[in-house]
């Protein structure tokens, strides 16, 4: 029997709700079709945004949404996306399929979407092909309450009151698609740009600098750590040891199941390495680690445009989400913002659409099941599990995290990563005794169980009856391939 110890009386730090953030880029069918259909669409919408998507995302307690990219951000000129839609110029989306971007979803539409789903905007500004002035004016346009050239332009475009914006990205992947800069070059650009980034409504802006690998992060923290609030890093999970070695999202062999899960677990080491670098320059942990792109990246679905990054989402993706969020909860002292890529129809999406049809993915359900961890106090957990062995490699069998909400409720989230074996887990609470445990489980009959437009609820959370409580100790039977959320009172 595997064992899990939870210290219920030794709260660590709060799990920032912002690690449960999301990301929507002008890429493939994420924004257009997935979110924005336009006011004249036969698809039911509110001011152009799909009502089914608004309803689904509103239930997720989505804390923040990053936009407009990604690589798109460093090609985006915000003035192209304001004013009468009929007068907005079309541009070429150079990174994602060379499609024509008509700029119909711009600043007003994005901020309206955020208020419709109840989330905070996290805007990523353009460093690679933009100017300091352009970025400063965007902030003035959004946040200036009084009279100014940009605030007046906003009013002329139909919005009297400023919006609120706190998270602000100063470029994206500026080592690559955002300008192919060197670490030192970007550090100096960041120092300059951030000086003109201000919230004109008086709120403190949360400025995110673009990180990368260890060497880059070391240089950036040394040169500009004192000027940033967050350091952005990205971690995508592919099947292979190299970036190009991706596998299909469905119909994969068992070896792929483990390759993906093992690589997903690698995010913990990456967080720890990055935290060590940050600790050297910021021992007080003032600067947040911002994992503002993460998730699985499989081969695009056959028959779709490979530049659109459309992939199916299975119980394997749900386990990647579950184990990653468990790691985030346990690393919440430094990791305080994160954004899964991406919200609709791209990469590890929450939602897939097909014309007027919409389905929720297994990953969506994990975010919904884990939502009570948001802003709860992280509890120390210690797992003793027999590793899974195969192909001369080992990996953990289980994944866990725990938190205590303000009302005293304890939430334990568990994943059984084995593709076919159930696990018996004894959970020992230290510092309190559980009397009652209720839970929900997400699982599926196959390693690639998924929802489809024909069977939208094939993988959906149901009541979990595999837990018993006796004298404060829980015995949990975790089926193979499962994510479980347990509420203890
Ligand atoms: O999410 C897709 C792309 O992945 C983003 O545009 C980029 O930042 C990253 O390389």
């Amino acid at each position: 029997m595997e064992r899990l110890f939870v210290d219920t009386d030794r709260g660590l730090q709060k799990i920032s709700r912002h690690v449960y953030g999301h990301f929507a880029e002008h890429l493939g069918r994420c924004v257009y079709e997935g979110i924005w259909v336009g006011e004249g669409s036969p698809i039911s919408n509110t001011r152009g945004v799909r009502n089914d998507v608004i309803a689904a995302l509103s239930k997720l307690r989505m804390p923040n949404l990053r936009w407009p990219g990604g690589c798109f951000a460093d090609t985006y000129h915000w003035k192209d996306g304001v004013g009468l839609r009929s007068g907005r110029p079309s541009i070429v989306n150079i990174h994602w399929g060379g499609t024509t971007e008509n700029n119909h979803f711009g600043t007003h539409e994005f901020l309206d979407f955020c208020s419709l789903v109840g989330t905070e905007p996290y805007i990523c500004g353009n460093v690679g092909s933009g100017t300091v002035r352009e970025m400063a004016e965007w902030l003035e346009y959004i946040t200036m309450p009084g009279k100014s050239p940009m605030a007046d332009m906003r009013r002329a475009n139909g919005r009297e009151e400023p919006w609120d914006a706190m998270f602000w990205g100063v470029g994206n992947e500026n080592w690559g698609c955002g300008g192919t800069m060197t670490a030192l070059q970007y550090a100096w650009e960041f120092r300059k740009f951030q000086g003109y980034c201000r919230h004109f409504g008086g709120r403190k802006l949360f400025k995110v600098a673009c990180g990368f690998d260890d060497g880059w992060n070391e240089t950036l923290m040394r040169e500009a750590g004192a000027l940033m609030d967050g350091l952005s890093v990205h971690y995508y999970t592919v099947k292979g040891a190299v970036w190009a070695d991706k596998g299909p999202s469905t119909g994969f062999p068992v070896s792929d199941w483990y390759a993906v899960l093992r690589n997903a677990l690698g995010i913990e080491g990456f967080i720890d390495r990055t935290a060590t670098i940050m600790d050297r320059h910021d021992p007080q942990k003032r600067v947040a680690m911002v994992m503002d792109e993460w998730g699985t990246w499989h081969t695009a679905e056959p028959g779709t445009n490979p530049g659109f990054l459309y992939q199916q989402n299975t119980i394997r993706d749900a386990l990647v989400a579950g184990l990653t969020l468990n790691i985030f909860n346990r690393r919440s002292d430094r990791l305080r913002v994160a954004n899964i890529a991406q919200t609709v129809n791209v990469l590890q999406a929450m939602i897939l659409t097909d014309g007027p049809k919409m389905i929720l993915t297994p990953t969506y359900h994990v975010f919904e099941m884990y939502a009570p961890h948001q802003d709860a106090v992280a509890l120390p957990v210690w797992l003793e599990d027999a590793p899974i062995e195969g192909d001369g490699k080992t990996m953990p069998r289980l994944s866990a995290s725990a938190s205590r909400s303000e009302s005293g409720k304890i939430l334990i989230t568990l994943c059984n990563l084995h593709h076919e074996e159930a696990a018996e887990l004894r959970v020992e609470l230290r510092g309190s005794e559980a009397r009652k445990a209720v839970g929900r489980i997400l699982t599926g009959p196959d390693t690639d169980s998924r929802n489809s437009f024909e069977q939208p609820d094939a993988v959906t959370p149901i009541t979990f009856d595999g837990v018993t409580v006796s004298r404060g100790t829980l015995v949990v039977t975790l089926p193979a391939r499962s994510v479980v959320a347990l509420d203890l009172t």
Side-chain angles (χ1 to χ4, degrees), residues 23 25 27 70-71 96 172-173 234 236 293 297 342 347:
F23 170 41
E25 179 168 12
L27 192 178
C71 293
W96 305 118
N172 169 76
E173 294 193 355
H234 295 170
Y236 283 105
E293 289 185 31
W297 194 318
Q342 298 195 7
L347 298 176

Side-chain angles (χ1 to χ4, degrees), residues 62 190 198 311 378-379 442:
M62 189 170 170
F190 175 78
R198 53 196 64 197
Q311 62 192 41
L379 298 176
L442 188 75

Side-chain angles (χ1 to χ4, degrees), residues 83 108 141 152-161 163:
H108 290 246
Y141 186 89
D152 290 348
M153 192 201 290
R154 182 189 71 229
R155 286 190 194 97
N157 288 334
R159 171 83 186 191
E160 177 60 36
E161 296 301 320
W163 290 277

Side-chain angles (χ1 to χ4, degrees), residues 203-342:
R203 193 172 176 190
K204 188 184 168 336
L205 209 58
F206 187 97
K207 300 174 197 170
V208 180
C210 166
F212 178 32
D213 59 10
D214 297 356
W216 174 289
N217 295 338
E218 184 82 54
T219 304
L220 183 57
M221 285 300 294
R222 187 189 64 229
E223 298 293 322
L227 300 172
M228 66 179 79
D229 300 291
L231 175 73
S232 144
V233 282
H234 295 170
Y235 187 95
Y236 283 105
T237 295
V238 298
K239 181 200 83 177
V242 293
W243 180 245
D245 188 10
K246 303 189 179 69
S249 56
T250 58
F252 45 80
V254 171
S255 55
D256 274 24
W257 168 273
Y258 287 109
V260 163
L261 293 180
R262 198 177 293 117
N263 287 344
L265 286 161
I267 199 170
E268 190 161 11
F270 178 57
I271 291 172
D272 290 347
R273 275 201 329 271
T274 309
T276 303
I277 294 166
M278 295 178 80
D279 285 350
R280 267 202 286 279
H281 301 276
D282 173 36
Q284 307 302 326
K285 299 193 192 297
R286 186 192 63 78
V287 180
M289 193 187 306
V290 177
M291 185 71 69
D292 54 12
E293 289 185 31
W294 69 270
T296 52
W297 194 318
H298 307 303
T299 311
E301 276 295 283
T304 64
N305 184 333
F308 284 10
L309 311 185
Y310 178 77
Q311 62 192 41
Q312 245 299 358
N313 194 296
T314 67
I315 189 69
R316 181 180 63 171
D317 297 277
L319 282 164
V320 169
L323 72 85
T324 304
L325 293 171
N326 281 339
I327 292 169
F328 288 178
N329 292 341
R330 300 197 306 262
R331 293 291 183 273
S332 49
D333 57 331
R334 181 64 90 170
L335 186 82
R336 300 200 286 269
V337 184
N339 304 78
I340 187 168
Q342 298 195 7

Side-chain angles (χ1 to χ4, degrees), residues 164-186:
D164 206 3
M166 181 178 81
F167 296 108
W168 195 265
V170 183
N172 169 76
E173 294 193 355
N174 301 94
W175 45 268
C177 62
T180 43
M181 300 183 196
T182 66
L184 204 50
Q185 183 187 5
Y186 174 75

